Amino acid sequence: MTTSNRCVCPDCDWVVDVPVTTTEVFKCPRCGHRLGGGAPVSERHTLALALAALILALVSLWLPFVGYSASGVSQTMSLLDTSAELLHFHERLLAILVLFTVWVVPVLYLLAICWIFTRLLGSGPVGPVTLYFIRTVVQLRVWMMADVFLLGALVSLIKISGLAAVELASGFYTFIAFVVLQLWVANNVSRYQLWHRLPHQQAPQSEAGRAAHNQGLSGCVCCQAPNSPQHKKCWRCGETLSLTRWRGWRLTLALLIAAALLLVPAHVLPVMETTSFGRTQPNTIIGGVLELWQGGDAPIAIIVFVASLVIPVAKILTLLVLLYVAERGNDSTVKNRVVLYKVTDWIGRWSMIDIFVVAVLVALVRSGQLMSVYPGNAALAFALTVILTMLAAMTFDTRRFFMPTTK
Ligand SMILES: [Zn+2]
Ligand SMILES: [Zn+2]
């Protein structure tokens, strides 16, 4: 039985021995990145909660989500209507994006968790299918946005509450329960504890307390095991090792430039069009913020303004600055740069609120007799901006911060 697990810190490339049995959070001594620890979760408990979340996800898709009535006309929408209506208006990419980030990806994640923990409850060896699902769980997490959608739905309901009587339906409450359970599972399943259960005997020779690249090794992007360059796949989790090459400043820069260019149509073109009493009015993202502000919903206006303009612009600028200073700073600022990168990386997904507001309003109001809401061209441009900035953050190689100080 091993007492520690040798891994390569994904943020700074340091080779570290992570104690397996500790319940305290274990951080990289060089950069502070979390590498292990945390209270072990009960396998039965996790399995039960993941199954409950799956059932709630299925139920939430079909049940009425929200209803509204205005001037004697009543309408309800289900969660599935958000994508169906976008599809109806030929916004295929947006429809797929909404359905995948809000429902499909979280459901795939929960199915993978159910498979993994069912296998772990048994005593047999971990097979290739289980390994595949463990890798999938790591990769899917970043694209789960049910919690962001919930906030977007609340913003859209506040937006429309001045024009119509809004009523939360049963699907809304089951969706909240699904989001809570899914967040619990995602935050409590420690992938470090999953890796420690796998065999260690094929690990290449390495020395703790030195950078991996100085020993001719590279860390697996998925499980952080040290790997020799002659291997194509990670000896422990089976991940393709060439994925490390995706992290490079040229790709990050290209993604950031594309995101910055798309931000222009995203804010100049209308994000949705509203027709009421025969009059069609295009709404830009900032126009929507001003409407909320003038309507007395200042806190919501600030949330939408921050999510739609401040976060994308700040994220692009921060990553550009970090790219420039990556290898130019000194030791004392390295940790600050890592923290800045992590905040930028974490906050980006919340910009999707705007897209979810449009999806909910289009599905809820549809082509009503008194009022209709249509998605505008800016919606796709804005969604692509968010995706590109997320990809830019994922391809950003934080190990470059530590290159000048590598001994
Ligand atoms: Zn580190
Ligand atoms: Zn691996």
Side-chain angles (χ1 to χ4, degrees), residues 159-384:
K159 266 190 155 196
I160 204 169
S161 60
L163 302 167
V166 177
E167 199 180 328
L168 302 179
S170 49
F172 194 87
Y173 298 108
T174 54
F175 187 75
I176 291 178
F178 155 65
V179 171
V180 171
L181 288 187
Q182 176 241 298
L183 284 177
W184 188 94
V185 172
N187 287 328
N188 284 279
V189 169
S190 164
R191 58 182 160 131
Y192 320 110
Q193 285 161 10
L194 295 177
W195 300 130
H196 298 332
R197 292 163 179 259
L198 306 182
H200 289 241
Q201 58 269 29
Q202 298 171 54
Q205 283 290 324
S206 59
E207 188 187 329
R210 284 179 65 204
H213 74 271
N214 283 353
Q215 304 177 49
L217 302 168
S218 65
C220 167
V221 287
C222 191
C223 76
Q224 279 107 46
N227 276 276
S228 306
Q230 58 262 42
H231 291 130
K232 285 198 164 60
K233 295 200 173 206
C234 172
W235 58 267
R236 180 160 64 185
C237 74
E239 184 63 272
T240 310
L241 290 171
S242 61
L243 277 178
T244 317
R245 287 189 215 124
W246 280 85
R247 299 207 293 174
W249 69 269
R250 286 183 187 85
L251 182 58
T252 312
L253 184 63
L255 289 166
L256 287 175
I257 291 171
L261 290 175
L262 277 168
L263 204 53
V264 178
H267 279 281
V268 172
L269 296 175
V271 72
M272 61 184 176
E273 291 181 7
T274 318
T275 304
S276 59
F277 303 107
R279 198 166 62 94
T280 301
Q281 191 188 353
N283 303 87
T284 58
I285 293 176
I286 296 303
V289 171
L290 288 174
E291 255 176 45
L292 280 168
W293 184 272
Q294 284 156 1
D297 292 313
I300 304 296
I302 292 169
I303 289 176
V304 177
F305 179 71
V306 169
S308 57
L309 192 66
V310 177
I311 291 179
V313 171
K315 187 168 180 178
I316 291 170
L317 290 178
T318 307
L319 287 177
L320 282 174
V321 171
L322 285 176
L323 267 185
Y324 180 73
V325 301
E327 289 166 23
R328 292 180 172 82
N330 53 41
D331 284 6
S332 61
T333 62
V334 163
K335 282 197 176 174
N336 295 344
R337 276 178 273 159
V338 172
V339 170
L340 193 58
Y341 165 76
K342 288 197 169 171
V343 172
T344 312
D345 185 30
W346 176 82
I347 212 164
R349 62 200 281 277
W350 290 96
S351 292
M352 282 295 280
I353 285 177
D354 268 318
I355 300 305
F356 296 144
V357 167
V358 173
V360 171
L361 285 180
V362 168
L364 186 58
V365 182
R366 278 180 258 178
S367 305
Q369 288 165 333
L370 295 175
M371 191 168 74
S372 310
V373 175
Y374 310 100
N377 292 331
L380 183 59
F382 188 78
L384 289 175

Side-chain angles (χ1 to χ4, degrees), residues 9-14 16 28-33 35 402:
C9 174
D11 278 3
C12 72
D13 208 39
W14 209 240
V16 185
C28 169
R30 193 189 197 196
C31 74
H33 180 84
L35 289 170
F402 297 86

